[in-house]
Amino acid sequence: MQEADPDLVTALAQGERQNSTLTRLGGRDVTGQVTSWSVDRAYDSDLPAPLRAINGSAAAELRLTLTGDGTSTAAQLYSPYAPHTTAELVRPGQSAVHGWGLDGDALPTFRGTVRDRVADSATGTVELSALDGAERLRDAARLPVAVSVDSTPISSGIWAVDKLLRDAGIHTAPPPRPDCILYASLHGGVTPDIGFYRTHANIAGYDRRDVPWEIAPYAGGLEYSIRWDPRTRTTVPGRSLFAETWLDSTYQPSAGTRVELVLFFQADTSTNQVRFAIDFSADQATVGTDSNLRFLFNLGVTTKGRWHIGAYWSFSGSVPSCWLYLAGPGLPGGYKEINLSTFATMPTGSQLNYVQLNAGLSCEAVQVSIRSSRPTQAEFTPVWTRGAVLDRIVSQVIALPPVQGSAWEVITQIARAEQATAAFDELGVFRYLNNGRFTDPGESVLTVTSAHEIASLRVSEAIDSVRNTIDVPYSLYTSGVSSTRFTDTTVRQIGAFGTLVLTFEYDVSEFDSPPPVVYASPVPSGSRVRFATTSAGGTGVHGAIESTTERDSSSLRITFTNRTSLVLYLATTTGTPSLAISSIQLATSSPTRLSLRAYDQTSRALYGPQVYQATASPWIQTRFAASVVADYLLAAATPLPVLGDVEILPDPRVQLGDLVQVIDTVGAALSTPAWVVGIRTSGDDTGRIRQVLTLRATTSPGPPVPTGLQPDPLLDPDARALLAAQGVLVP
């Protein structure tokens, strides 16, 4: 329920009202030109169609009729062929904002973009419709096709929703920086948004309590660790890197309060790590390389709360240097940076192999970005706007399934699989809420009665909505081995400071390949590439070629950039092509198709068996996730009445998902809490506003009670004699 100021609340309690509206198109107030309007909102993923009494919309929709500015008609001003100076105001894609309230105070009702417009020359009016933030999610859905290396969950439906929102510029945590080569939100999964998953250990689960922003992993008694392959394997000597993460130190787990970010560089058997670690209870930092660690004490980081930590690594030849960044409560001005100067020389010619997080605290938004200069204080603390709120995890997944369609379509698929709700609210904030909200009602936020607020009401009940035998399919994925997928057929050449782009076509159902590891002599397993000074193999070279690996649907693209003045070749020691790409395969016969069946025996006895087969979804991959869905659907085992066409005294505070108490002492004789699952609001230029709700009751009228009735049997008693007359043997 939306909050309102005391004057509006007082006005809502009065019988006599003076309604007010506000409509803006393209940021311009056009309220005076609106002759009629309507806003429709409804859930369409909270229950499967067979269990619904109504079918909701996929997005909130605003409809307007414009009449013009008094000098020119709306058709003259806003038709597709009108001058751009005026027609731009209502073009498809233009912003649309609408609100209504009382006594000049309008609460937000809709925020979105224009979908279509129709100019009528005969009447001079223009009718337009607009959809909410779902229109921002019409780009092709892009998710990594990743699979666990050891059959432990690596992601979830929540993570996938968060990733699709982030791609559309809707954020729940600080967004990736420009030139980001690794970004892992950790919002319900270890799969990175940018980069590639490698391994993880000791993650006990994900929580929304005591986290910096949204949802984060927590340790299972020991520090958890996660390794990722960056999208771009930079070189040493090479470009500067900035590694950072956000965390909350409020909760002090048994796993400890240390957070460490490691950049692991490798040149064949020569390795080195540049790393920094902060221990928030010991108030100290450890920064440096394998051979040169420095310890800093009395940092001032013991105050509990949200922290942002980072390290800027630059390289002069093979000599690294570091600036440490801290921002959080307890520091003077909430900020500190420390120049740690240079460290011991790293192996000449190294490649960035992987990034690793080791932590006892819950971290989010781990990222590594390429920078041309050291961040300033303003750059260290990014300016961003939160645009979404998520929920607890329902479905963890071993393998992220391939997706097709728009981001909004995939989000809807996930929501339907989990029986969750996905919608943009009146302020434009996206809210993903799992079905737990409908099984734990809580307190009503509003009471509507036939004595004051209710103008009309219809109550319906249908046996078709009873489902007391539930089958929920799920799939168990088992990871297999890594095998070579592509082997280049040509020894390729990269000129001095040149670039080579190679594209490989995948089946859309294939899992992602990690970026190739550079080697010179020992041949590693997995994806790999060797650079040589001659096409015959020559001397192997490290630290010369930067590679960027990207997967988009069925295409894998690898970009090699030569950072030296040498001409280099992709050749093995024997002069054959050195580029090989491998991918993880599922185990034989994986996934295993299973199904969970759940019963409500009481309902079966009262109403007879009524089965519902849930639609199979690749997002349900565990028996636990299937059981959560089945338990929710069984809550409808006894018919829950639907209160349709509940016309109430209009209240702009009411939102989808609100729990309201409905009391009708005049007609249907009921008193029950009910969920708001649909809202239709309309008005015109006379100030008249109608609001009609669709509600789903949370309590049943109760099971059938014998009242002395003697129901007729399903088989006519005369059927026995009729069958006997037809020569059919009967008992």
Side-chain angles (χ1 to χ4, degrees), residues 82-149:
H84 285 286
T85 53
T86 56
E88 183 70 15
L89 197 66
V90 297
R91 64 163 175 81
Q94 186 59 271
S95 66
V97 175
H98 182 74
W100 70 275
L102 305 176
D103 298 328
D105 188 0
L107 288 182
T109 304
F110 176 90
R111 180 175 294 267
T113 55
V114 175
R115 182 186 185 188
D116 59 40
R117 58 179 167 181
V118 178
D120 189 328
S121 296
T123 62
T125 61
V126 168
E127 294 183 354
L128 63 87
S129 68
L131 294 181
D132 65 8
E135 287 298 283
R136 299 171 61 184
L137 295 162
R138 299 302 183 188
D139 194 7
R142 294 177 177 85
L143 289 177
V145 190
V147 61
S148 172
V149 296

Side-chain angles (χ1 to χ4, degrees), residues 211-212 245-249 259 280 305-309 361-364:
V211 297
T245 188
W246 280 258
L247 58 107
D248 193 305
S249 62
V259 175
F280 288 85
R306 180 192 296 152
W307 286 87
H308 179 197
I309 60 176
L361 296 173
S362 296
C363 297
E364 295 181 47

